[in-house]
Amino acid sequence: MSNKRNIGERFQYMGNWFSQRNNKICILIVGVLFAAAILFAVALNQAAEDEVPTSASQMVYEKAEVTAILSDDAEADYENAEGRRVGTQELEIRILTGTHKDEIMRPTQIKFSSFLLNNCNVDLEKGDNIIVRIMTDENGAYYASVFNYDRGMVIGGFVLIFFVLLAVLGGKKGIGALLGLLFTLACVWFILIPALIIGLPIIAVTVGIIIITSVCALILLNGISEKTWCAILGCVIGVITAGAIAALVGHITPINGFNMSEAENLILYGADKGLTISGLLVCGVLISALGAVMDVALGIASSVNELSLQNHKAKAKELFRSGMNIGKDAMGTMANTLILAFAGSSLNMLILVQTYDIPFRQLINTDYICIEIIQSISGAMGILLTVPIVAFISARLMTREKKRSLK
């Protein structure tokens, strides 16, 4: 009895030791990735410090409070604006931030109007908080114009509620998912976009960001294990496959970044910094497909791992078949999710298509529609191909690890 207890205690000690070591390895890998990302971001930002500031960056936006409505000729427009008020307001405001803090601006000093257009309805009342643009001329005289409502607190609270729900309901995994999400967004904003602007290779940089964020996000979510590495490998292959499909179809069509609606502005303001436009379509497909492909990859890897633990005699072929059967359920739902996400983002355009009764032959050859189709279908195909890739990798790796442990 004592021998069995000693053996059990030894196994428990070994399990605890491996778990602690596993946690240390997780912290080490994630720490290295965080440090590398920060250093790269700092280097990119230092390279951008020598650039000439743009006119947009020199505009000053400050918070303000409406202290009085001095005149208001706006009326409800039920014919064209669904009852929204259209007209002009003259305001008295108090600046809340910046160098003009606590200053009161009145029409005796400047004409301060908020035009209530039916497509930009800023209908103000006394006490409303707004964002104003302060513009100063060469003589030092300044004036302000209404930019929009001050939505910062509402949006910030909304995001905070999401973070809290994810952490509370998801527990440790929720916190890991949150950290992974924040790391991914930071990499896109502080590394990917600055790197593209200064002319670094678009596809190479995007693939590098995908690899780094996949490794970091999945390790934070699930720790280091066979299923994590299977999910990472399958995720990277699936996303790159989606990008390759988009690049191939775009080359045949031909469709590339120059067909995108923002291409003209990007050429005017970004080409002198080194920005290349042609690869942005593929870059967008890679980024947009990352989340859905990561979800599918981890789901299949976890399923195959659980089947392997429950049936130690299962062969690689059987695990692969089971992973494919499980993945078939995820294929349709995740592909639908990705395609419907693109459709939802283009809903206004689709409504205009129906309204103008655009002929199908014209519609299907429009740049905007072709780009949306290529992006959504390429992402969906990336998801479809991720399932067999992850199922195969997981089945082979977990069977091999099982044989090694038995020896």
Side-chain angles (χ1 to χ4, degrees):
M1 187 71 178
S2 59
N3 290 335
K4 292 182 179 180
R5 184 177 300 174
N6 292 334
I7 294 175
E9 290 175 353
R10 289 178 182 176
F11 275 111
Q12 184 178 1
Y13 172 77
M14 292 175 63
N16 293 335
W17 177 83
F18 180 77
S19 177
Q20 293 174 1
R21 185 183 180 189
N22 197 20
N23 291 335
K24 292 180 179 178
I25 295 174
C26 289
I27 294 172
L28 177 61
I29 293 177
V30 173
V32 169
L33 291 177
F34 268 100
I38 292 173
L39 291 175
F40 196 27
V42 170
L44 290 173
N45 290 330
Q46 286 180 347
E49 286 181 356
D50 298 332
E51 297 179 356
V52 178
T54 62
S55 58
S57 66
Q58 294 177 322
M59 292 183 180
V60 178
Y61 292 86
E62 303 293 353
K63 295 182 179 181
E65 179 187 5
V66 178
T67 54
I69 305 293
L70 302 178
S71 67
D72 188 345
D73 62 5
E75 295 180 355
D77 184 355
Y78 292 96
E79 183 177 354
N80 300 313
E82 300 181 9
R84 292 176 179 268
R85 295 189 342 123
V86 178
T88 304
Q89 291 178 321
E90 287 186 344
L91 313 172
E92 178 186 83
I93 66 168
R94 181 169 64 91
I95 305 299
L96 301 179
T97 58
T99 57
H100 303 290
K101 183 178 180 180
D102 294 329
E103 289 188 20
I104 301 295
M105 293 188 177
R106 303 182 180 90
T108 54
Q109 298 175 335
I110 59 170
K111 186 177 180 181
F112 193 94
S113 300
S114 171
F115 296 96
L116 308 180
L117 303 179
N118 55 4
N119 62 342
C120 185
N121 195 326
V122 184
D123 192 352
L124 300 173
E125 298 179 355
K126 181 180 178 180
D128 285 348
N129 290 324
I130 58 175
I131 300 296
V132 297
R133 183 171 61 185
I134 308 292
M135 288 168 282
T136 306
D137 60 21
E138 296 177 355
N139 299 322
Y142 59 90
Y143 62 98
S145 63
V146 173
F147 174 70
N148 217 321
Y149 296 105
D150 183 4
R151 302 188 176 107
M153 291 295 292
V154 177
I155 298 300
F158 186 59
V159 173
L160 181 61
I161 291 173
F162 164 70
F163 287 167
V164 171
L165 286 176
L166 183 60
V168 172
L169 299 180
K172 291 182 179 180
K173 287 187 177 292
I175 296 174
L178 176 59
L179 293 176
L181 173 62
L182 294 176
F183 179 74
T184 301
L185 294 177
C187 286
V188 171
W189 183 256
F190 292 107
I191 297 179
L192 177 61
I193 295 177
L196 299 184
I197 290 176
I198 65 176
L200 295 183
I202 291 180
I203 305 301
V205 172
T206 307
V207 170
I209 292 295
I210 287 172
I211 294 174
I212 292 173
T213 54
S214 298
V215 172
C216 186
L218 289 173
I219 287 178
L220 286 171
L221 180 63
N222 206 58
I224 294 181
S225 62
E226 291 84 0
K227 64 179 179 180
T228 301
W229 293 119
C230 292
I232 291 171
L233 188 57
C235 176
V236 172
I237 295 175
V239 171
I240 293 176
T241 302
I245 294 171
L248 177 62
V249 176
H251 177 73
I252 297 173
T253 321
I255 288 285
N256 51 51
F258 288 95
N259 302 96
M260 303 173 75
S261 58
E262 302 85 359
E264 185 175 353
N265 289 331
L266 290 174
I267 293 172
L268 290 175
Y269 298 104
D272 58 338
K273 298 180 180 180
L275 175 65
T276 54
I277 312 297
S278 57
L280 290 180
L281 175 63
V282 176
C283 176
V285 171
L286 293 172
I287 296 300
S288 61
L290 177 59
V293 171
M294 189 183 299
D295 187 9
V296 172
L298 183 58
I300 300 302
S302 297
S303 300
V304 174
N305 180 67
E306 188 65 25
L307 291 170
S308 176
L309 293 176
Q310 295 297 325
N311 185 5
H312 296 285
K313 297 181 180 179
K315 298 180 180 179
K317 187 176 181 180
E318 296 173 346
L319 292 176
F320 173 75
R321 189 184 301 114
S322 299
M324 286 296 299
N325 291 333
I326 296 171
K328 289 177 182 178
D329 294 330
M331 284 182 182
T333 55
M334 293 305 299
N336 287 342
T337 299
L338 199 59
I339 292 176
L340 291 176
F342 282 111
S345 64
S346 308
L347 184 59
N348 291 347
M349 175 60 70
L350 297 178
I351 293 174
L352 286 175
V353 168
Q354 287 276 4
T355 302
Y356 288 110
D357 196 18
I358 297 176
F360 177 76
R361 191 167 294 170
Q362 176 190 355
L363 176 66
I364 200 64
N365 289 286
T366 303
D367 286 345
Y368 181 83
I369 297 298
C370 289
I371 289 172
E372 291 295 320
I373 292 174
I374 291 174
Q375 287 182 329
S376 56
I377 297 299
S378 298
M381 290 182 68
I383 292 174
L384 298 179
L385 295 175
T386 298
V387 172
I389 291 171
V390 177
F392 176 79
I393 294 174
S394 301
R396 298 292 298 179
L397 180 60
M398 293 175 186
T399 304
R400 185 179 302 173
E401 289 295 325
K402 190 189 304 180
K403 292 180 179 179
R404 188 179 301 172
S405 62
L406 291 174
K407 291 181 180 179

